Amino acid sequence: MTLNKFNLPDVGEGLTEAEIVSWKVRPGDAVAINDVLCEIETAKSIVELPSPFAGTVTELLVPEGVTIDVGTAIISVSDDVAGDPTPADVRAPETPVQPLYGTLPADDGARADGGAQESALAGGPLVGSGPKADAVKRRPRKAQPSAAVTLNAPEVEPIQPHTPAAVTAAPEVSAGPAAGDMDNRPTLGGTITGLVNRVLAKPPVRKIARDLGIDLADVVATGSRGEVTREDLVSYQAQRDAELDKADGFWGKAGKPQDQRIERIPVKGVRKATAKAMVESAFSAPHVSIFVDVDASRTMEFVKRLKASRDFEGIRVSPLLILAKAVIWAAARNPSVNATWVDNADGADAAEIHVKHYMNLGIAAATPRGLMVPNIKNAQDLSLKELALALNNLATTARAGKTQPAEMQGGTLTITNIGALGIDTGTPIINPGEVAIVAFGTIKQKPWVLDGEVIPRWITTLGGSFDHRVVDGDLSARFMADVAAILEEPALLLD
């Protein structure tokens, strides 16, 4: 019998340490090559470690929650296999799992048309996660000439939170034709073809979401075709209520001394890496920030038309998509914003500016593990549809904590969408290795002077921070003006 020890590998460029987040095996378990042994947290992401050996686990050498250096032995595996281990590429029979928050009565209409599964799990989703666009599969269309449908998604109005029981007790409405069955929506020709549609969900689910004030785009979809089910709503509402309960008890017992009411949080992983990067950027690159108010009314109209297009199903579109295209367009007209300042490696008083003739567009994402900035490689080559898919996949992966280190390396310019949190603008810090970042503020109706008249328009504020060593005031102003021009008139993208 041979005993093999597996050392912590370098799963990213320059990784020096990592934390064992959770073990997926126990001593005595039989493992095959490429079976997942554990999850580790690096400075950038959570990574699954596969087994390089086949055999029986003899000992876990590092407990969960401990940070260790690369090269440290973490597990021992003997080549003496007990029993018949399941190969890594063969899925073991699934054991029925009890839903976390219970199940809802089966929807007869959903069963009849092959919709939501009867016993879908109600696992708690991450707030803000969207549907997985690549899971969407359309059913063959049925001819329904007399069917009356509503093309636009229901508007959501904030209301008081409800309990999961309220979701269960919500009345059902007769199931109409699913969104995938509609064939009478308009298409957009030319280069703006290939646009996006709303989140998939059946009419009863949409009604429940509307009654509870839930935006379906914030709910993780578990349906067989990528649609949001009623079980998903139960899970989402339960998590929302749990967060409110946690807030109610945050201050703790009033009688306890204050020094006993201090929570000490170790700085490690993503938070440690973020702190180091922000200090490095703030004190090495001289920042200059500028702001511009933009009439984004035509962008809002454009997004509305895209949502009504039937060309693509299950892909979420938002004004962020148009901004991303605008940034790519404006960078091509002002190339120095897509660059890096490089000091001489010998320490001599010399430096170079490396202008990148490609765009790895970073999107700042708030995740349960902290701030991450994954980037979309070669974003300049993507069509509007491909960029929408990339944005959806990037956000879903980041919020699930599955972003890989390679996805956060090599960024050239970053967007931070602070408007998603209702913030008007800000002065963002430049991501290290870049020279520009754009903050996208919330879009809301404000009084605006147009042709001598004061009328309500959809207004947003763009904020930009630039490395003044590379980007002068004139260049930063022209770049921001170009970005604003696209938001004011998206048709310029067709030029």
Side-chain angles (χ1 to χ4, degrees), residues 91-257:
R91 179 173 294 182
E94 296 184 358
T95 303
V97 181
Q98 292 297 328
L100 184 60
Y101 301 113
T103 59
L104 290 172
D107 184 352
D108 293 338
R111 283 199 302 269
D113 60 8
Q117 298 176 356
E118 292 184 7
S119 58
L121 298 183
L126 294 169
V127 175
S129 295
K132 295 182 179 178
D134 55 358
V136 176
K137 296 180 180 178
R138 297 188 60 189
R139 297 178 297 153
R141 292 194 179 96
K142 301 176 184 178
Q144 296 182 358
S146 61
V149 293
T150 301
L151 298 183
N152 295 326
E155 299 205 0
V156 178
E157 297 182 359
I159 61 173
Q160 293 300 320
H162 293 262
T163 63
V167 185
T168 307
E172 297 185 9
V173 298
S174 58
D181 295 332
M182 296 184 297
D183 197 23
N184 59 345
R185 286 173 289 175
T187 58
L188 302 176
T191 57
I192 59 174
T193 307
L195 306 174
V196 295
N197 200 3
R198 58 180 178 175
V199 179
L200 290 181
K202 295 183 177 299
V205 175
R206 292 190 181 279
K207 183 179 186 305
I208 295 173
R210 183 171 64 251
D211 292 342
L212 297 179
I214 296 176
D215 185 350
L216 288 174
D218 292 337
V219 182
V220 173
T222 63
S224 59
R225 298 185 302 115
E227 74 275 15
V228 175
T229 67
R230 294 199 301 162
E231 295 289 347
D232 298 335
L233 293 182
V234 171
S235 175
Y236 179 87
Q237 184 64 43
Q239 179 181 350
R240 191 162 70 171
D241 290 346
E243 291 173 350
L244 291 175
D245 293 341
K246 185 184 295 185
D248 292 339
F250 171 77
W251 298 114
K253 191 175 181 180
K256 294 181 69 174

Side-chain angles (χ1 to χ4, degrees), residues 164-483:
V167 185
T168 307
E172 297 185 9
V173 298
S174 58
D181 295 332
M182 296 184 297
D183 197 23
N184 59 345
R185 286 173 289 175
T187 58
L188 302 176
T191 57
I192 59 174
T193 307
L195 306 174
V196 295
N197 200 3
R198 58 180 178 175
V199 179
L200 290 181
K202 295 183 177 299
V205 175
R206 292 190 181 279
K207 183 179 186 305
I208 295 173
R210 183 171 64 251
D211 292 342
L212 297 179
I214 296 176
D215 185 350
L216 288 174
D218 292 337
V219 182
V220 173
T222 63
S224 59
R225 298 185 302 115
E227 74 275 15
V228 175
T229 67
R230 294 199 301 162
E231 295 289 347
D232 298 335
L233 293 182
V234 171
S235 175
Y236 179 87
Q237 184 64 43
Q239 179 181 350
R240 191 162 70 171
D241 290 346
E243 291 173 350
L244 291 175
D245 293 341
K246 185 184 295 185
D248 292 339
F250 171 77
W251 298 114
K253 191 175 181 180
K256 294 181 69 174
Q258 290 187 352
D259 59 357
Q260 296 181 20
R261 287 190 282 167
I262 298 175
E263 180 181 4
R264 290 168 173 81
I265 302 174
V267 178
K268 56 184 180 180
V270 173
R271 176 56 55 196
K272 181 178 180 181
T274 300
K276 180 180 178 181
M278 292 299 98
V279 170
E280 175 187 342
S281 175
F283 291 99
S284 63
H287 283 51
V288 58
S289 298
I290 61 175
F291 310 92
V292 58
D293 290 334
V294 182
D295 180 358
S297 299
R298 290 186 177 177
T299 286
M300 299 297 284
E301 294 171 1
F302 187 44
V303 168
K304 184 177 180 180
R305 294 202 308 273
L306 301 187
K307 289 182 177 180
S309 169
R310 65 180 177 87
D311 293 320
F312 293 88
E313 295 286 347
I315 307 174
R316 186 188 181 192
V317 64
S318 72
L320 177 62
L321 172 62
I322 312 305
L323 176 71
K325 268 293 186 184
V327 167
I328 297 169
W329 183 82
R333 294 163 58 91
N334 306 276
S336 291
V337 302
N338 194 54
T340 300
W341 175 280
V342 180
D343 289 307
N344 193 302
D346 299 331
D349 188 16
E352 291 182 337
I353 296 173
H354 293 182
V355 178
K356 313 291 179 65
H357 291 260
Y358 58 88
M359 170 74 77
N360 291 345
L361 182 61
I363 305 294
T367 75
R369 299 176 54 244
L371 176 67
M372 291 184 179
V373 189
N375 59 75
I376 300 172
K377 309 296 185 187
N378 291 309
Q380 79 283 349
D381 295 332
L382 301 182
S383 66
L384 198 58
K385 173 199 171 182
E386 292 168 337
L387 185 59
L389 282 169
L391 287 170
N392 282 331
N393 291 336
L394 178 147
T396 301
T397 302
R399 287 164 180 154
K402 299 298 183 180
T403 303
Q404 298 303 304
E407 297 175 286
M408 291 183 283
Q409 295 168 355
T412 62
L413 197 154
T414 296
I415 295 172
T416 176
N417 186 18
I418 58 177
L421 304 175
I423 305 302
D424 291 329
T425 190
T427 54
I429 296 178
I430 303 167
N431 209 30
E434 303 173 14
V435 299
I437 183 172
V438 176
F440 190 21
T442 187
I443 302 178
K444 54 189 176 183
Q445 284 196 318
K446 293 181 179 180
W448 192 259
V449 178
L450 185 65
D451 296 330
E453 296 182 5
V454 178
I455 59 175
R457 301 286 285 179
W458 291 102
I459 307 301
T460 187
T461 301
L462 299 178
S465 292
F466 303 89
D467 185 341
H468 217 330
R469 296 174 299 180
V470 179
V471 183
D472 295 329
D474 174 67
L475 175 60
S476 63
R478 284 190 281 111
F479 170 74
M480 293 293 284
D482 285 341
V483 174

